[in-house]
Coordinates of all heavy atoms in Angstrom, one line a residue:
M29 N -37.8 -34.2 -46.5 CA -36.6 -33.3 -46.3 C -35.8 -33.9 -45.2 O -36.2 -34.2 -44.1 CB -37.2 -31.9 -45.9 CG -36.1 -30.9 -45.8 SD -36.7 -29.2 -45.3 CE -38.1 -28.9 -46.3
D30 N -34.5 -34.0 -45.5 CA -33.6 -34.6 -44.5 C -33.0 -33.6 -43.5 O -33.2 -32.4 -43.7 CB -32.4 -35.3 -45.3 CG -31.6 -34.4 -46.1 OD1 -31.9 -33.2 -46.3 OD2 -30.5 -34.9 -46.5
D31 N -32.4 -34.1 -42.5 CA -31.9 -33.3 -41.4 C -30.9 -32.3 -41.8 O -30.8 -31.2 -41.4 CB -31.4 -34.2 -40.2 CG -32.5 -35.0 -39.6 OD1 -33.7 -34.7 -39.9 OD2 -32.1 -35.8 -38.7
E32 N -30.0 -32.7 -42.8 CA -28.9 -31.8 -43.3 C -29.5 -30.6 -44.0 O -29.0 -29.5 -43.8 CB -28.0 -32.6 -44.1 CG -27.2 -33.6 -43.4 CD -26.3 -34.5 -44.3 OE1 -26.4 -34.3 -45.6 OE2 -25.6 -35.4 -43.8
T33 N -30.5 -30.8 -44.8 CA -31.2 -29.7 -45.5 C -31.8 -28.7 -44.5 O -31.6 -27.5 -44.6 CB -32.3 -30.2 -46.4 OG1 -31.7 -31.2 -47.3 CG2 -32.9 -29.1 -47.2
I34 N -32.5 -29.2 -43.5 CA -33.1 -28.4 -42.5 C -32.0 -27.6 -41.7 O -32.1 -26.4 -41.5 CB -34.0 -29.2 -41.5 CG1 -35.2 -29.8 -42.3 CG2 -34.4 -28.4 -40.3 CD1 -36.0 -30.8 -41.5
F35 N -31.0 -28.3 -41.3 CA -29.8 -27.7 -40.6 C -29.2 -26.6 -41.5 O -28.9 -25.5 -41.0 CB -28.8 -28.7 -40.2 CG -27.7 -28.2 -39.4 CD1 -27.8 -27.8 -38.1 CD2 -26.4 -28.1 -40.0 CE1 -26.7 -27.3 -37.4 CE2 -25.3 -27.6 -39.3 CZ -25.5 -27.2 -38.0
G36 N -29.0 -26.9 -42.7 CA -28.4 -25.8 -43.6 C -29.3 -24.6 -43.7 O -28.8 -23.5 -43.7
F37 N -30.6 -24.8 -43.9 CA -31.6 -23.7 -43.9 C -31.5 -22.9 -42.7 O -31.5 -21.6 -42.7 CB -33.0 -24.2 -44.2 CG -34.0 -23.2 -44.0 CD1 -34.2 -22.2 -45.0 CD2 -34.9 -23.1 -42.9 CE1 -35.2 -21.2 -44.9 CE2 -35.9 -22.2 -42.8 CZ -36.0 -21.2 -43.8
V38 N -31.5 -23.5 -41.5 CA -31.4 -22.8 -40.2 C -30.1 -22.0 -40.1 O -30.2 -20.8 -39.7 CB -31.6 -23.8 -39.1 CG1 -31.3 -23.2 -37.7 CG2 -33.0 -24.4 -39.0
I39 N -29.0 -22.6 -40.5 CA -27.7 -21.9 -40.4 C -27.7 -20.7 -41.3 O -27.3 -19.6 -40.9 CB -26.6 -22.9 -40.7 CG1 -26.5 -23.9 -39.6 CG2 -25.2 -22.1 -40.8 CD1 -26.2 -23.4 -38.2
L40 N -28.2 -20.9 -42.5 CA -28.2 -19.8 -43.5 C -29.1 -18.7 -43.0 O -28.7 -17.5 -43.1 CB -28.7 -20.3 -44.9 CG -28.7 -19.4 -46.0 CD1 -27.2 -18.9 -46.3 CD2 -29.3 -20.0 -47.2
S41 N -30.2 -19.0 -42.5 CA -31.1 -17.9 -42.0 C -30.5 -17.2 -40.8 O -30.7 -16.0 -40.7 CB -32.5 -18.6 -41.6 OG -33.4 -17.6 -41.2
I42 N -29.9 -18.0 -39.9 CA -29.3 -17.3 -38.7 C -28.2 -16.4 -39.2 O -28.0 -15.3 -38.6 CB -28.8 -18.4 -37.7 CG1 -30.0 -19.1 -37.0 CG2 -27.9 -17.8 -36.7 CD1 -29.6 -20.3 -36.2
L43 N -27.4 -16.8 -40.1 CA -26.3 -15.9 -40.6 C -26.9 -14.7 -41.3 O -26.3 -13.6 -41.1 CB -25.4 -16.7 -41.6 CG -24.5 -17.8 -41.0 CD1 -23.8 -18.6 -42.1 CD2 -23.5 -17.2 -40.0
A44 N -28.0 -14.8 -42.0 CA -28.6 -13.7 -42.6 C -29.1 -12.7 -41.5 O -29.0 -11.5 -41.6 CB -29.8 -14.1 -43.5
G45 N -29.7 -13.3 -40.4 CA -30.2 -12.5 -39.3 C -29.1 -11.8 -38.6 O -29.2 -10.6 -38.3
I46 N -27.9 -12.4 -38.4 CA -26.8 -11.8 -37.8 C -26.3 -10.6 -38.8 O -25.9 -9.6 -38.3 CB -25.7 -12.8 -37.6 CG1 -26.1 -13.8 -36.4 CG2 -24.4 -12.1 -37.2 CD1 -25.3 -14.9 -36.2
G47 N -26.3 -10.9 -40.1 CA -25.9 -9.9 -41.0 C -26.8 -8.6 -40.9 O -26.3 -7.5 -40.9
V48 N -28.1 -8.9 -40.8 CA -29.1 -7.7 -40.7 C -28.8 -7.0 -39.4 O -28.8 -5.8 -39.3 CB -30.5 -8.2 -40.8 CG1 -31.5 -7.1 -40.5 CG2 -30.8 -8.8 -42.2
L49 N -28.6 -7.7 -38.3 CA -28.3 -7.1 -37.0 C -27.0 -6.3 -37.1 O -27.0 -5.2 -36.6 CB -28.2 -8.2 -35.9 CG -27.8 -7.7 -34.5 CD1 -28.8 -6.7 -34.0 CD2 -27.6 -8.8 -33.6
I50 N -26.0 -6.8 -37.7 CA -24.7 -6.0 -37.8 C -25.0 -4.8 -38.6 O -24.5 -3.7 -38.3 CB -23.7 -6.9 -38.5 CG1 -23.2 -8.0 -37.5 CG2 -22.5 -6.1 -39.0 CD1 -22.3 -9.0 -38.1
Y51 N -25.8 -4.9 -39.7 CA -26.1 -3.7 -40.5 C -26.9 -2.6 -39.6 O -26.6 -1.4 -39.7 CB -26.9 -4.0 -41.7 CG -27.3 -2.8 -42.5 CD1 -26.4 -2.1 -43.3 CD2 -28.6 -2.3 -42.3 CE1 -26.8 -1.0 -44.0 CE2 -29.0 -1.1 -43.0 CZ -28.1 -0.4 -43.8 OH -28.5 0.7 -44.4
D52 N -27.8 -3.1 -38.8 CA -28.6 -2.2 -37.9 C -27.7 -1.5 -36.9 O -27.8 -0.3 -36.7 CB -29.7 -3.0 -37.2 CG -30.8 -3.4 -38.0 OD1 -31.0 -2.9 -39.2 OD2 -31.6 -4.3 -37.6
I53 N -26.7 -2.3 -36.3 CA -25.8 -1.7 -35.4 C -24.9 -0.7 -36.1 O -24.6 0.4 -35.5 CB -25.0 -2.8 -34.7 CG1 -25.9 -3.7 -33.8 CG2 -23.8 -2.2 -33.9 CD1 -25.2 -4.9 -33.2
Y54 N -24.4 -1.0 -37.3 CA -23.5 -0.1 -38.0 C -24.3 1.2 -38.3 O -23.8 2.3 -38.1 CB -23.1 -0.8 -39.3 CG -22.5 0.2 -40.3 CD1 -21.2 0.6 -40.2 CD2 -23.2 0.7 -41.4 CE1 -20.6 1.5 -41.1 CE2 -22.7 1.5 -42.3 CZ -21.4 2.0 -42.1 OH -20.8 2.9 -43.0
S55 N -25.5 1.0 -38.7 CA -26.3 2.2 -39.0 C -26.5 3.1 -37.8 O -26.5 4.3 -37.9 CB -27.7 1.7 -39.6 OG -28.5 2.8 -39.9
Y56 N -26.8 2.4 -36.7 CA -27.0 3.2 -35.4 C -25.7 3.9 -35.0 O -25.7 5.1 -34.6 CB -27.4 2.2 -34.3 CG -27.4 2.9 -33.0 CD1 -28.4 3.8 -32.6 CD2 -26.4 2.6 -32.1 CE1 -28.4 4.4 -31.4 CE2 -26.4 3.2 -30.8 CZ -27.4 4.1 -30.5 OH -27.4 4.8 -29.3
L57 N -24.6 3.2 -35.1 CA -23.3 3.8 -34.7 C -23.0 5.0 -35.6 O -22.4 6.0 -35.1 CB -22.2 2.8 -34.7 CG -22.3 1.7 -33.6 CD1 -21.2 0.7 -33.9 CD2 -22.2 2.3 -32.3
K58 N -23.3 4.9 -36.9 CA -23.0 6.0 -37.8 C -23.9 7.2 -37.6 O -23.5 8.3 -37.6 CB -23.2 5.5 -39.2 CG -22.8 6.4 -40.3 CD -22.8 5.8 -41.7 CE -22.4 6.8 -42.7 NZ -22.4 6.3 -44.0
S59 N -25.3 6.9 -37.4 CA -26.2 8.0 -37.3 C -26.7 8.4 -36.0 O -27.2 9.5 -35.7 CB -27.5 7.7 -38.2 OG -28.2 6.7 -37.6
G60 N -26.5 7.5 -35.0 CA -27.0 7.7 -33.6 C -28.5 7.5 -33.5 O -29.1 7.9 -32.5
N61 N -29.1 7.0 -34.6 CA -30.6 6.8 -34.5 C -30.8 5.3 -34.9 O -30.4 4.8 -35.9 CB -31.2 7.7 -35.6 CG -32.8 7.7 -35.5 OD1 -33.3 7.3 -34.4 ND2 -33.4 8.0 -36.6
W62 N -31.6 4.6 -34.0 CA -31.9 3.2 -34.3 C -33.0 3.0 -35.3 O -34.2 3.2 -34.9 CB -32.2 2.5 -33.0 CG -32.4 1.0 -33.2 CD1 -33.6 0.3 -33.3 CD2 -31.4 0.0 -33.3 NE1 -33.3 -1.0 -33.5 CE2 -32.0 -1.3 -33.5 CE3 -30.0 0.0 -33.3 CZ2 -31.3 -2.4 -33.6 CZ3 -29.3 -1.1 -33.4 CH2 -29.9 -2.3 -33.6
D63 N -32.7 2.8 -36.5 CA -33.7 2.5 -37.5 C -33.5 1.1 -38.1 O -32.8 0.9 -39.1 CB -33.5 3.5 -38.7 CG -34.0 4.9 -38.3 OD1 -34.9 5.0 -37.5 OD2 -33.4 5.9 -38.8
S64 N -33.9 0.1 -37.3 CA -33.7 -1.2 -37.7 C -34.6 -1.6 -39.0 O -35.6 -1.0 -39.2 CB -34.0 -2.2 -36.6 OG -35.4 -2.2 -36.3
I65 N -34.1 -2.6 -39.7 CA -34.9 -3.1 -40.8 C -36.0 -4.0 -40.2 O -35.7 -5.0 -39.5 CB -34.0 -3.9 -41.7 CG1 -32.9 -3.0 -42.3 CG2 -34.8 -4.5 -42.9 CD1 -31.8 -3.8 -43.1
D66 N -37.2 -3.6 -40.4 CA -38.3 -4.3 -39.8 C -38.8 -5.4 -40.8 O -38.5 -5.3 -42.0 CB -39.5 -3.3 -39.5 CG -39.1 -2.3 -38.4 OD1 -38.4 -2.7 -37.5 OD2 -39.5 -1.2 -38.5
T67 N -39.6 -6.3 -40.3 CA -40.1 -7.4 -41.1 C -41.0 -6.8 -42.3 O -41.0 -7.3 -43.4 CB -41.0 -8.3 -40.3 OG1 -40.1 -8.8 -39.2 CG2 -41.4 -9.5 -41.0
I68 N -41.7 -5.8 -42.0 CA -42.6 -5.2 -43.1 C -41.7 -4.6 -44.2 O -42.2 -4.6 -45.4 CB -43.6 -4.1 -42.5 CG1 -44.8 -4.0 -43.3 CG2 -42.9 -2.8 -42.3 CD1 -45.8 -5.1 -43.3
D69 N -40.5 -4.2 -43.9 CA -39.6 -3.7 -44.9 C -39.3 -4.8 -45.9 O -39.1 -4.5 -47.1 CB -38.3 -3.1 -44.3 CG -38.6 -1.9 -43.4 OD1 -39.6 -1.2 -43.7 OD2 -37.8 -1.7 -42.5
L70 N -39.1 -6.0 -45.5 CA -38.9 -7.1 -46.4 C -40.0 -7.3 -47.3 O -39.9 -7.5 -48.5 CB -38.6 -8.4 -45.6 CG -38.4 -9.7 -46.4 CD1 -37.2 -9.6 -47.3 CD2 -38.3 -10.9 -45.5
L71 N -41.3 -7.3 -46.8 CA -42.5 -7.4 -47.6 C -42.5 -6.3 -48.6 O -43.0 -6.5 -49.8 CB -43.7 -7.5 -46.7 CG -43.8 -8.7 -45.8 CD1 -45.0 -8.6 -44.9 CD2 -43.9 -10.0 -46.7
R72 N -42.1 -5.1 -48.2 CA -42.1 -4.0 -49.2 C -41.1 -4.2 -50.3 O -41.4 -3.9 -51.4 CB -41.8 -2.7 -48.4 CG -43.0 -2.2 -47.6 CD -42.6 -0.9 -46.9 NE -43.7 -0.4 -46.1 CZ -43.6 0.2 -45.0 NH1 -42.4 0.5 -44.5 NH2 -44.7 0.6 -44.3
E73 N -40.0 -4.7 -49.9 CA -39.0 -5.1 -51.0 C -39.4 -6.1 -51.9 O -39.0 -6.1 -53.1 CB -37.6 -5.5 -50.3 CG -36.8 -4.4 -49.7 CD -36.3 -3.4 -50.8 OE1 -35.9 -3.8 -51.8 OE2 -36.4 -2.2 -50.5
M74 N -40.3 -7.0 -51.4 CA -40.9 -8.0 -52.3 C -42.1 -7.5 -53.1 O -42.8 -8.3 -53.7 CB -41.3 -9.2 -51.4 CG -40.1 -9.9 -50.8 SD -40.5 -11.1 -49.5 CE -41.6 -12.2 -50.4
K75 N -42.3 -6.2 -53.0 CA -43.4 -5.5 -53.7 C -44.8 -6.0 -53.3 O -45.7 -6.0 -54.2 CB -43.2 -5.6 -55.2 CG -41.9 -5.2 -55.7 CD -41.6 -3.7 -55.5 CE -40.3 -3.3 -56.1 NZ -39.6 -2.3 -55.4
A76 N -45.0 -6.4 -52.1 CA -46.3 -6.8 -51.6 C -47.2 -5.6 -51.4 O -46.8 -4.7 -50.6 CB -46.2 -7.6 -50.3
D77 N -48.2 -5.4 -52.1 CA -49.1 -4.2 -52.1 C -49.6 -4.0 -50.7 O -49.7 -2.8 -50.2 CB -50.3 -4.3 -53.0 CG -49.9 -4.2 -54.5 OD1 -48.8 -3.7 -54.7 OD2 -50.6 -4.8 -55.3
W78 N -50.0 -5.0 -50.0 CA -50.5 -4.9 -48.6 C -49.5 -4.2 -47.7 O -49.9 -3.5 -46.8 CB -50.9 -6.3 -48.1 CG -51.3 -6.3 -46.7 CD1 -52.6 -6.0 -46.2 CD2 -50.6 -6.7 -45.6 NE1 -52.6 -6.1 -44.9 CE2 -51.4 -6.6 -44.4 CE3 -49.3 -7.1 -45.4 CZ2 -51.0 -6.9 -43.1 CZ3 -48.8 -7.4 -44.1 CH2 -49.7 -7.3 -43.0
A79 N -48.2 -4.5 -47.9 CA -47.2 -3.9 -47.0 C -47.1 -2.4 -47.1 O -46.7 -1.7 -46.2 CB -45.8 -4.5 -47.3
F80 N -47.5 -1.8 -48.3 CA -47.4 -0.4 -48.5 C -48.7 0.3 -48.0 O -48.6 1.4 -47.5 CB -47.3 -0.1 -50.0 CG -45.9 -0.5 -50.5 CD1 -45.7 -1.7 -51.2 CD2 -44.8 0.3 -50.3 CE1 -44.5 -2.0 -51.7 CE2 -43.6 0.0 -50.8 CZ -43.4 -1.2 -51.5
N81 N -49.9 -0.3 -48.3 CA -51.1 0.3 -47.9 C -52.1 -0.8 -47.4 O -53.0 -1.2 -48.2 CB -51.7 1.0 -49.1 CG -52.9 1.8 -48.8 OD1 -53.1 2.2 -47.7 ND2 -53.7 2.1 -49.8
P82 N -52.0 -1.1 -46.1 CA -52.9 -2.2 -45.6 C -54.3 -1.7 -45.5 O -54.5 -0.6 -45.0 CB -52.3 -2.6 -44.3 CG -51.6 -1.3 -43.9 CD -51.1 -0.7 -45.1
T83 N -55.3 -2.4 -46.0 CA -56.7 -2.1 -45.8 C -57.4 -3.0 -44.9 O -58.5 -2.8 -44.5 CB -57.4 -2.1 -47.2 OG1 -57.2 -3.4 -47.8 CG2 -56.8 -1.0 -48.1
D84 N -56.7 -4.1 -44.6 CA -57.3 -5.1 -43.6 C -56.1 -5.7 -42.8 O -54.9 -5.4 -43.2 CB -58.1 -6.1 -44.2 CG -57.4 -6.9 -45.3 OD1 -56.3 -6.6 -45.7 OD2 -58.0 -7.9 -45.9
W85 N -56.4 -6.4 -41.8 CA -55.3 -7.0 -41.0 C -54.3 -5.9 -40.5 O -53.1 -6.1 -40.5 CB -54.6 -8.1 -41.7 CG -55.4 -9.3 -41.9 CD1 -56.3 -9.5 -43.0 CD2 -55.5 -10.5 -41.1 NE1 -56.9 -10.7 -42.9 CE2 -56.4 -11.4 -41.7 CE3 -54.9 -10.9 -40.0 CZ2 -56.7 -12.6 -41.2 CZ3 -55.2 -12.1 -39.4 CH2 -56.1 -13.0 -40.1
I86 N -54.9 -4.8 -40.0 CA -54.1 -3.7 -39.6 C -53.2 -4.1 -38.4 O -52.0 -3.7 -38.3 CB -54.9 -2.5 -39.3 CG1 -55.8 -2.1 -40.5 CG2 -54.1 -1.3 -38.8 CD1 -55.1 -1.7 -41.7
G87 N -53.7 -4.8 -37.5 CA -53.0 -5.3 -36.3 C -51.8 -6.1 -36.7 O -50.7 -5.9 -36.1
L88 N -51.9 -7.0 -37.6 CA -50.8 -7.8 -38.1 C -49.8 -6.9 -38.8 O -48.5 -7.1 -38.5 CB -51.2 -8.9 -39.1 CG -50.2 -9.7 -39.7 CD1 -49.4 -10.5 -38.7 CD2 -50.7 -10.6 -40.8
W89 N -50.2 -5.9 -39.5 CA -49.3 -5.0 -40.1 C -48.5 -4.2 -39.1 O -47.2 -4.1 -39.2 CB -50.0 -3.9 -41.0 CG -49.1 -3.1 -41.8 CD1 -48.7 -3.3 -43.1 CD2 -48.5 -1.8 -41.4 NE1 -47.8 -2.3 -43.5 CE2 -47.7 -1.4 -42.5 CE3 -48.6 -1.0 -40.3 CZ2 -47.1 -0.2 -42.4 CZ3 -47.9 0.1 -40.2 CH2 -47.1 0.5 -41.3
E90 N -49.2 -3.8 -38.0 CA -48.5 -3.1 -36.9 C -47.4 -4.0 -36.2 O -46.3 -3.5 -35.9 CB -49.5 -2.6 -35.8 CG -50.5 -1.6 -36.3 CD -49.8 -0.2 -36.4 OE1 -48.8 0.0 -35.7 OE2 -50.4 0.6 -37.2
V91 N -47.8 -5.3 -36.0 CA -46.8 -6.2 -35.4 C -45.6 -6.4 -36.3 O -44.5 -6.3 -35.9 CB -47.5 -7.5 -35.1 CG1 -46.5 -8.6 -34.7 CG2 -48.5 -7.4 -34.0
L92 N -45.8 -6.6 -37.6 CA -44.7 -6.8 -38.5 C -43.9 -5.6 -38.7 O -42.7 -5.7 -39.0 CB -45.2 -7.3 -39.9 CG -45.9 -8.7 -39.9 CD1 -46.5 -9.0 -41.3 CD2 -44.9 -9.7 -39.5
N93 N -44.5 -4.4 -38.5 CA -43.8 -3.2 -38.6 C -42.9 -2.9 -37.4 O -41.9 -2.2 -37.4 CB -44.7 -2.0 -38.8 CG -44.0 -0.7 -39.3 OD1 -43.1 -0.8 -40.1 ND2 -44.5 0.4 -38.8
A94 N -43.3 -3.6 -36.3 CA -42.6 -3.4 -35.0 C -41.4 -4.4 -34.8 O -40.5 -4.1 -34.0 CB -43.5 -3.4 -33.9
I95 N -41.5 -5.6 -35.4 CA -40.6 -6.6 -35.1 C -39.4 -6.5 -36.1 O -39.5 -6.5 -37.3 CB -41.2 -8.0 -35.4 CG1 -42.3 -8.2 -34.4 CG2 -40.2 -9.1 -35.2 CD1 -43.1 -9.5 -34.6
P96 N -38.2 -6.4 -35.5 CA -37.0 -6.3 -36.4 C -36.8 -7.6 -37.2 O -37.0 -8.7 -36.7 CB -35.8 -6.1 -35.4 CG -36.5 -5.5 -34.2 CD -37.9 -6.1 -34.1
L97 N -36.4 -7.4 -38.4 CA -36.2 -8.6 -39.3 C -35.2 -9.6 -38.8 O -35.4 -10.8 -38.9 CB -35.7 -8.1 -40.7 CG -35.6 -9.1 -41.8 CD1 -36.9 -9.9 -42.0 CD2 -35.1 -8.5 -43.0
F98 N -34.1 -9.1 -38.1 CA -33.1 -10.1 -37.6 C -33.7 -11.1 -36.6 O -33.3 -12.2 -36.5 CB -31.9 -9.4 -37.0 CG -32.1 -8.7 -35.7 CD1 -31.9 -9.4 -34.5 CD2 -32.4 -7.4 -35.6 CE1 -32.0 -8.8 -33.3 CE2 -32.6 -6.8 -34.4 CZ -32.4 -7.5 -33.2
I99 N -34.7 -10.6 -35.8 CA -35.4 -11.5 -34.9 C -36.1 -12.6 -35.6 O -36.0 -13.8 -35.3 CB -36.3 -10.7 -33.9 CG1 -35.5 -9.9 -33.0 CG2 -37.2 -11.7 -33.1 CD1 -36.3 -9.0 -32.1
I100 N -36.8 -12.3 -36.6 CA -37.6 -13.3 -37.4 C -36.6 -14.2 -38.1 O -36.8 -15.4 -38.1 CB -38.5 -12.6 -38.5 CG1 -39.5 -11.7 -37.8 CG2 -39.1 -13.6 -39.4 CD1 -40.6 -12.5 -37.0
L101 N -35.5 -13.7 -38.7 CA -34.6 -14.5 -39.4 C -33.8 -15.5 -38.5 O -33.3 -16.5 -38.9 CB -33.6 -13.7 -40.1 CG -34.1 -13.0 -41.4 CD1 -33.0 -12.0 -41.9 CD2 -34.5 -14.0 -42.4
I102 N -33.7 -15.2 -37.2 CA -33.0 -16.1 -36.3 C -34.0 -17.0 -35.5 O -33.7 -18.2 -35.4 CB -32.2 -15.2 -35.2 CG1 -31.1 -14.5 -35.9 CG2 -31.7 -16.1 -34.1 CD1 -30.3 -13.5 -35.1
I103 N -35.1 -16.5 -35.0 CA -36.0 -17.4 -34.2 C -36.9 -18.3 -35.0 O -37.1 -19.4 -34.7 CB -36.8 -16.4 -33.3 CG1 -35.9 -15.8 -32.3 CG2 -37.9 -17.2 -32.6 CD1 -36.5 -14.8 -31.4
L104 N -37.5 -17.7 -36.1 CA -38.5 -18.5 -36.8 C -37.9 -19.8 -37.4 O -38.5 -20.9 -37.3 CB -39.1 -17.7 -37.9 CG -40.3 -18.3 -38.7 CD1 -41.5 -18.6 -37.7 CD2 -40.8 -17.4 -39.8
P105 N -36.7 -19.8 -38.1 CA -36.2 -21.1 -38.6 C -35.9 -22.1 -37.5 O -36.1 -23.3 -37.7 CB -35.0 -20.6 -39.4 CG -35.1 -19.2 -39.6 CD -36.0 -18.7 -38.5
I106 N -35.4 -21.6 -36.4 CA -35.1 -22.5 -35.3 C -36.4 -23.2 -34.8 O -36.5 -24.4 -34.6 CB -34.4 -21.8 -34.2 CG1 -33.0 -21.4 -34.6 CG2 -34.3 -22.7 -32.9 CD1 -32.3 -20.5 -33.6
L107 N -37.4 -22.4 -34.7 CA -38.7 -22.9 -34.2 C -39.3 -23.9 -35.3 O -39.8 -25.0 -34.9 CB -39.7 -21.8 -34.0 CG -41.1 -22.2 -33.6 CD1 -41.1 -22.9 -32.2 CD2 -42.0 -20.9 -33.5
L108 N -39.3 -23.5 -36.5 CA -39.8 -24.4 -37.6 C -39.0 -25.7 -37.7 O -39.6 -26.8 -37.9 CB -39.8 -23.7 -38.9 CG -40.8 -22.6 -39.1 CD1 -40.7 -21.9 -40.4 CD2 -42.3 -23.1 -38.9
A109 N -37.7 -25.6 -37.6 CA -36.8 -26.8 -37.6 C -37.1 -27.7 -36.5 O -37.2 -29.0 -36.6 CB -35.4 -26.4 -37.6
Y110 N -37.3 -27.2 -35.3 CA -37.7 -28.0 -34.1 C -39.0 -28.7 -34.3 O -39.1 -29.9 -34.1 CB -37.8 -27.1 -32.9 CG -38.3 -27.8 -31.7 CD1 -37.5 -28.7 -31.0 CD2 -39.6 -27.7 -31.3 CE1 -38.0 -29.4 -29.9 CE2 -40.2 -28.4 -30.2 CZ -39.3 -29.3 -29.5 OH -39.8 -30.0 -28.5
I111 N -40.0 -28.0 -34.9 CA -41.3 -28.6 -35.1 C -41.2 -29.7 -36.1 O -41.7 -30.8 -36.0 CB -42.3 -27.6 -35.5 CG1 -42.6 -26.6 -34.4 CG2 -43.6 -28.2 -36.1 CD1 -43.4 -25.4 -34.8
V112 N -40.5 -29.5 -37.2 CA -40.3 -30.5 -38.3 C -39.6 -31.7 -37.8 O -40.0 -32.8 -38.0 CB -39.6 -29.9 -39.5 CG1 -39.2 -31.0 -40.5 CG2 -40.5 -28.9 -40.2
L113 N -38.5 -31.5 -37.1 CA -37.7 -32.6 -36.6 C -38.4 -33.4 -35.5 O -38.2 -34.6 -35.4 CB -36.3 -32.1 -36.2 CG -35.4 -31.6 -37.2 CD1 -34.1 -31.0 -36.7 CD2 -35.1 -32.6 -38.3
R114 N -39.1 -32.7 -34.7 CA -39.8 -33.3 -33.6 C -40.9 -34.2 -34.0 O -41.2 -35.3 -33.5 CB -40.4 -32.2 -32.7 CG -41.2 -32.7 -31.5 CD -40.3 -33.0 -30.4 NE -41.2 -33.1 -29.2 CZ -41.5 -34.3 -28.6 NH1 -41.0 -35.4 -29.1 NH2 -42.2 -34.3 -27.5
F115 N -41.7 -33.8 -35.1 CA -42.9 -34.5 -35.4 C -42.7 -35.4 -36.7 O -43.7 -36.0 -37.1 CB -44.0 -33.5 -35.6 CG -44.4 -32.8 -34.4 CD1 -44.2 -31.5 -34.2 CD2 -45.0 -33.5 -33.4 CE1 -44.5 -30.8 -33.0 CE2 -45.4 -32.9 -32.2 CZ -45.2 -31.6 -32.0
T116 N -41.5 -35.4 -37.3 CA -41.3 -36.3 -38.4 C -40.7 -37.6 -38.0 O -40.7 -38.6 -38.8 CB -40.5 -35.6 -39.5 OG1 -39.2 -35.2 -38.9 CG2 -41.2 -34.5 -40.1
D117 N -40.1 -37.7 -36.8 CA -39.5 -39.0 -36.4 C -40.4 -39.8 -35.5 O -41.3 -39.5 -35.0 CB -38.2 -38.7 -35.6 CG -37.2 -38.1 -36.6 OD1 -37.2 -38.4 -37.8 OD2 -36.3 -37.4 -36.1

């Protein structure tokens, strides 16, 4: 995987994260209630059975339910790109 592909993935993910954050802020300004899209909501949209009714790894489910999706979309790709670029050269 070349640097341009990694950079494109990071930029695309950051833009998606910013879009989710803007939607969260819009929703808050409209309703006055902060109901952010959480990471577990993405797994539910992907129809992952575990996201609807976890029977194990309950702690992980709680963490994913608490972390807003925009944070994952912004931080995780930057971290992964750093690791890939750091250790492939």
Side-chain angles (χ1 to χ4, degrees):
M29 188 179 311
D30 61 350
D31 293 351
E32 292 175 358
T33 303
I34 294 171
F35 182 71
F37 171 72
V38 170
I39 294 299
L40 185 62
S41 182
I42 289 172
L43 290 174
I46 292 170
V48 171
L49 176 61
I50 289 170
Y51 175 79
D52 287 346
I53 292 170
Y54 167 78
S55 179
Y56 171 73
L57 292 174
K58 186 175 180 181
S59 69
N61 189 21
W62 184 261
D63 288 326
S64 68
I65 300 172
D66 298 320
T67 306
I68 205 73
D69 295 331
L70 176 64
L71 293 174
R72 286 180 179 146
E73 284 296 317
M74 295 169 56
K75 307 295 185 213
D77 292 334
W78 175 80
F80 291 100
N81 187 21
T83 56
D84 56 356
W85 292 84
I86 305 299
L88 177 62
W89 188 91
E90 293 285 337
V91 169
L92 294 176
N93 194 40
I95 297 176
L97 182 60
F98 74 87
I99 291 175
I100 296 296
L101 288 173
I102 292 172
I103 294 176
L104 188 62
I106 293 171
L107 179 64
L108 291 175
Y110 172 77
I111 291 170
V112 167
L113 294 174
R114 174 86 165 107
F115 293 109
T116 56
D117 292 334

